[in-house]
């Protein structure tokens, strides 16, 4: 998204639902709507009265822009289905695609929603110390999982991931593989 003032790219800084109350002075609401509004206030169930707010920041203008939507797109309900589909029988590529969709939707909707690209969300995951430590603890406490990861490590040591995008006849080691920085050239390649 671009800044309406300077045209530079904006950075997403927040995505939230806000409870909105009717404009009683300028808006005619029915008794039923008023009752529903009071019920939402009392119960804390604001679903019908929420509005989606997405905030962006322009570094160039040092301004915050808000985008308001009646409903924010939410892929959370699809994530478990994509993960389940990835575990069904089928070709490896289709299974990978469904697992990747599940993974990246979880990352960008629950963990790192401020990141615009999949790559930057993955880089933020690599930098997240608490997630890393919790996952390593899980691996160390499950011998079967530990053995599976040792096999993956052994295979990748023998055959590192290579990128064929630039030259299929001379693939290079993926520049992002060993980098947890925002740019791969900030960290030495393998």
């Amino acid at each position: 998204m671009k800044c309406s003032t300077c045209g530079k790219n904006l950075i997403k800084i927040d995505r939230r639902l806000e409870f909105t109350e009717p404009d009683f002075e300028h808006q005619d609401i029915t008794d039923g709507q008023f009752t529903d509004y009071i019920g939402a206030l009392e119960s804390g169930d604001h679903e019908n009265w929420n509005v989606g707010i997405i905030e962006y920041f322009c570094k160039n203008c040092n301004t915050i822009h808000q985008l308001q939507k009646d409903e924010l797109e939410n892929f959370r309900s699809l994530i478990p289905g994509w993960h389940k589909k990835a575990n069904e029988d089928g070709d490896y590529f289709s299974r990978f695609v469904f697992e990747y969709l599940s993974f990246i939707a979880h990352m960008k909707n629950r963990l790192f929603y401020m990141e615009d690209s999949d790559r930057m969300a993955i880089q933020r995951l690599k930098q997240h110390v608490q997630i890393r430590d919790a996952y390593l603890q899980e691996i160390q406490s499950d011998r079967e999982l530990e053995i599976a990861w040792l096999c993956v490590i052994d295979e990748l040591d023998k055959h590192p991931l290579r990128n064929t995008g630039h030259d299929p006849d001379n693939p290079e080691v993926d520049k992002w593989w060993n980098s947890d920085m925002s740019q791969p050239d900030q960290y030495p390649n393998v």
Side-chain angles (χ1 to χ4, degrees):
M1 184 165 191
K2 304 261 185 208
C3 177
S4 57
T5 306
C6 69
K8 298 284 185 182
N9 287 332
L10 296 173
I11 301 167
K12 190 184 309 176
I13 58 172
D14 196 13
R15 184 180 203 268
R16 66 184 181 279
L17 294 174
E18 278 188 8
F19 181 69
T20 57
E21 59 183 52
D23 182 0
F24 293 109
E25 289 182 31
H26 300 100
Q27 193 176 16
D28 291 331
I29 66 168
T30 65
D31 290 342
Q33 289 172 320
F34 183 73
T35 304
D36 185 46
Y37 167 71
I38 297 300
L41 277 177
E42 295 297 318
S43 70
D45 181 9
H46 302 156
E47 186 173 335
N48 293 334
W49 293 91
N50 281 339
V51 102
I53 305 289
I54 304 173
E55 275 187 347
Y56 295 91
F57 177 69
C58 179
K59 284 196 262 188
N60 192 50
C61 300
N62 200 28
T63 57
I64 293 178
H65 303 267
Q66 284 191 343
L67 179 65
Q68 182 175 321
K69 294 187 172 188
D70 289 336
E71 191 173 321
L72 289 177
E73 293 174 12
N74 189 339
F75 297 102
R76 289 181 182 184
S77 63
L78 299 174
I79 293 170
W82 287 333
H83 178 66
K84 183 178 177 185
K85 184 81 174 157
N87 288 301
E88 293 176 1
D89 286 337
D91 64 282
Y92 288 114
F93 181 75
S94 296
R95 292 175 64 197
F96 169 80
V97 168
F98 282 112
E99 196 67 76
Y100 182 78
L101 287 173
S102 172
F103 166 73
I104 207 65
H106 174 74
M107 296 267 293
K108 291 180 71 178
N109 279 279
R110 294 187 177 180
L111 299 176
F112 308 108
Y113 61 85
M114 293 169 43
E115 297 303 333
D116 290 331
S117 71
D118 294 1
R119 166 52 51 206
M120 285 302 108
I122 291 168
Q123 293 308 104
R124 295 301 161 257
L125 177 64
K126 290 178 179 182
Q127 297 166 357
H128 202 287
V129 175
Q130 292 88 351
I131 292 174
R132 180 200 64 205
D133 291 347
Y135 192 69
L136 287 175
Q137 188 175 18
E138 187 71 29
I139 291 171
Q140 292 168 346
S141 67
D142 182 339
R143 183 68 182 143
E144 193 175 318
L145 184 57
E146 183 179 11
I147 290 170
W149 269 115
L150 290 171
C151 289
V152 169
I153 291 168
D154 185 48
E155 183 64 25
L156 289 172
D157 282 344
K158 290 180 197 169
H159 308 285
L161 293 180
R162 298 195 178 273
N163 184 342
T164 60
H166 299 293
D167 182 358
D169 297 319
N170 188 21
E172 57 193 32
V173 172
D174 186 88
K175 62 185 177 180
W176 291 99
W177 186 253
N178 285 323
S179 174
D180 64 356
M181 306 307 276
S182 295
Q183 292 296 320
D185 55 5
Q186 293 174 323
Y187 197 85
N189 285 337
V190 174

